[in-house]
Amino acid sequence: MPNCKTLLLKLLFAAGLLLAACFESYANELTLFSAKDVDDGQEYTVKLQILILMTVLSLLPVMLMMMTGFTRIIIVLSILRQALGLQQSPPNKVLVGIALILTIMIMRPVWVEVYEKAFVPYQNEQLTLLQAIDVAEQPVRAFMLGQTRETDLEQMLRIAGEPSDTKVEDIPFSVLMPAFVLSELKTAFQIGFLLFIPFLIIDLVVASTLMSMGMMMLSPLIISLPFKLMIFVVVDGWSMTVGTLSASFGV
């Protein structure tokens, strides 16, 4: 099994390959670097490949939000913190760290497939850069399609002016990406709503109790916070939240 360094290498290489696909149509217009002929067509020189990969790696944070489950996870964790009534605990950096680790774990099968089918052949010079990009795109596209709702996909096709009967394999990546993000946002709010209900009930019970006792000047949030924290810890809330998020991706 690959170690942590290998997983990080897969993540970085996959980011480079996928985002390099967005720039390959412009590469032929560059005159600073040349292309060489190969059996299957043309292959860009090493300098141009490095330029493309270094450029697209700078967009890695954008790709993390737009092509993985990071958006869903961080939104759910933020809603959970708000439902608990905590403002700055856990801190934003902790939530982002948790979301990043979960994203890597959930996306691990995709990165492994990209590594084995795209990076290794490319490293062994069995595939050109463009061929490796095409191979690496397939598992990520399959993951995104599996999490995207048909209604969101149809809406994006309509906005982009693409035929509504376009085959799945022919859907442009520029259309699939926003449809995937919309589906992730909807799923995140659905999970957040379900997590919010138990804490809302506790707030209502505490507020009703305080009103019946005539203690209307006392904030219900101050009284309900310890009870919400106690219940959350007793039921092992963090484990349940992580399990729910993982299950929502089919993991």
Side-chain angles (χ1 to χ4, degrees), residues 17-30:
L17 289 181
L18 291 173
L19 292 177
C22 301
F23 294 90
E24 66 177 80
S25 60
Y26 303 99
N28 288 325
E29 301 177 3
L30 299 177

Side-chain angles (χ1 to χ4, degrees), residues 131-197:
Q131 291 173 337
I133 291 173
D134 293 336
V135 173
E137 181 183 346
Q138 299 309 312
V140 179
R141 173 183 285 268
F143 170 81
M144 295 173 67
L145 284 171
Q147 305 298 325
T148 305
R149 292 178 172 83
E150 293 184 3
T151 54
D152 295 328
L153 200 55
E154 292 174 357
Q155 183 178 9
M156 287 299 106
L157 286 171
R158 184 170 59 255
I159 294 175
E162 298 286 342
S164 58
D165 57 349
T166 304
K167 296 182 180 179
V168 174
E169 58 272 13
D170 297 331
I171 296 177
F173 210 81
S174 58
V175 174
L176 176 59
M177 189 185 305
F180 169 74
V181 174
L182 287 180
S183 297
E184 287 295 284
L185 291 174
K186 183 175 182 179
T187 303
F189 282 114
Q190 288 176 340
I191 298 175
F193 171 75
L194 295 176
L195 290 175
F196 215 107
I197 291 178

Side-chain angles (χ1 to χ4, degrees), residues 33-149:
F33 302 97
S34 60
K36 59 183 179 180
D37 295 328
V38 294
D39 295 337
D40 298 329
Q42 285 188 328
E43 168 68 346
Y44 303 127
T45 60
V46 175
K47 292 182 179 179
L48 182 55
Q49 294 180 26
I50 294 175
L51 175 64
I52 294 174
L53 291 176
M54 293 301 294
T55 301
V56 298
L57 281 177
S58 63
L59 301 176
L60 182 60
V62 178
M63 180 203 142
L64 183 67
M65 293 184 291
M66 301 293 287
M67 300 182 189
T68 68
F70 179 84
T71 299
R72 181 191 307 186
I73 297 172
I74 192 64
I75 289 177
V76 170
L77 293 179
S78 299
I79 293 177
L80 175 62
R81 182 176 65 179
Q82 186 175 0
L84 285 169
L86 302 172
Q87 299 299 323
Q88 297 295 332
S89 183
N92 291 331
K93 293 182 179 180
V94 174
L95 292 184
V96 172
I98 296 174
L100 182 60
I101 293 299
L102 285 178
T103 301
I104 294 176
M105 296 299 294
I106 291 171
M107 297 292 296
R108 186 175 181 275
V110 178
W111 304 136
V112 170
E113 187 174 353
V114 170
Y115 177 78
E116 293 177 349
K117 295 185 178 180
F119 178 74
V120 173
Y122 173 75
Q123 189 179 36
N124 296 333
E125 299 184 353
Q126 298 174 354
L127 294 177
T128 64
L129 177 62
L130 298 183
Q131 291 173 337
I133 291 173
D134 293 336
V135 173
E137 181 183 346
Q138 299 309 312
V140 179
R141 173 183 285 268
F143 170 81
M144 295 173 67
L145 284 171
Q147 305 298 325
T148 305
R149 292 178 172 83

